[in-house]
Amino acid sequence: MKALNIPAAWKGDELFNSPYWNYQFSGEEIAEIESTIHTLKESSNQSLEFNKLKKTFAGISEELENGSGVVRLKGFPVKNYSEEEVIAVYMALCGQMGTLVRQSNSDVSSQFINYIKAEQSNDSYKLHTDRGDTISLLCVRQAREGGENLLASAVTIYNEMLQSDPEIAEELFNDLPRIYEGENGWINYPLWHIHKGKFTTQHSGVYPLLSQFISGCPKLTEKQKKGMDLLQEIGQKVGVTLTLDPGDWLICNNHVVYHARSSWKVEKGEYDRLLLGVWYSPFNSRELPDIPAFRTIWGSVEAGKPRGGFLPNHTVPLDQAITEPLSEKEAYWLAEFLKSRFKGVESITALTSGRGLY
């Protein structure tokens, strides 16, 4: 194994060298967003046309896939419109860069949007990725205290670990057991992989630990446990901490960037923290390894195709809402997953005194 010298291998404030870090939407771009809000109010079926934003979105997509893997955009007009209007235009704009994939089988209207607020959870999460090519977060309201985000380059963490603990770093390219909402309740999947020169990671921190509560699941090795601890330790050192302001739009490529968050003080009104989360598969996304583990977790491994998300191998395509009850088999394994997850998280939380799970 050797270190990767690529744009996605950044440390902390080096993100400020990216043209799309703290990118301020121009007056013309904001006008296009607001015009789209009015267009969508008239009809959600109208075709959308962009001029300035089309070029910006192309640059953002390039930065996410072949650059740093993360962008922070500022000035999204969230304060002058209702949440429903903001959600409609936000999802439409994400759709200009890729295909939105569902995150659940809840109400049809909310399968493609995640309301990140205290009613859901205000727990802290350790560095992790979501099961989508990208995680997109739009800040509508921010808490008065807490709610900071931590971002860290997975590539830099790999490079640093390769230098300090090469045997541990190499171990993370081998299969690790992790909890999974499919048959058997667990799956073997590498934390890191390099395919055709492209780095990819999938790490939902506590999931390998939760797999240890499932009968018949392989045991994590001491090297794997050490590797997951080092991932968090190194990420804290090489990452960057930020607080999203209302109107900030953060997008991360989950294949190369880990994200975390702190807990926050719960208040009502102006400081009732609300982020809108979308998962989408970019039109220019990387090809993934065509092996069973990746096909199981992602569904499609082809470049530019919808993948990941909730039940990626369901008969209903990922870009469509599930409107019928799950099959008996799917419902069973999803229930087993949630049962194991709840029981496991409860046990792990007791051991870690609640110091963040992911």
Side-chain angles (χ1 to χ4, degrees), residues 27 39 181 347:
T39 298
E181 66 274 23
S347 301

Side-chain angles (χ1 to χ4, degrees), residues 191-252:
L191 194 153
W192 291 335
H193 197 95
I194 298 175
H195 177 66
K196 295 186 176 179
K198 291 264 190 170
F199 187 94
T200 179
T201 185
Q202 173 60 205
H203 181 56
S204 297
V206 77
Y207 280 21
L209 299 178
L210 292 178
S211 73
Q212 305 300 279
F213 293 90
I214 300 174
S215 177
C217 181
K219 296 302 180 183
L220 288 162
T221 68
E222 291 305 312
K223 286 184 179 180
Q224 289 168 341
K225 294 176 184 177
K226 177 65 174 176
M228 291 190 293
D229 288 341
L230 280 173
L231 184 154
Q232 299 294 334
E233 293 174 15
I234 296 171
Q236 290 284 341
K237 295 175 183 177
V238 302
V240 61
T241 300
L242 64 143
T243 299
L244 295 177
D245 298 317
D248 282 3
W249 182 3
L250 179 71
I251 313 176
C252 300

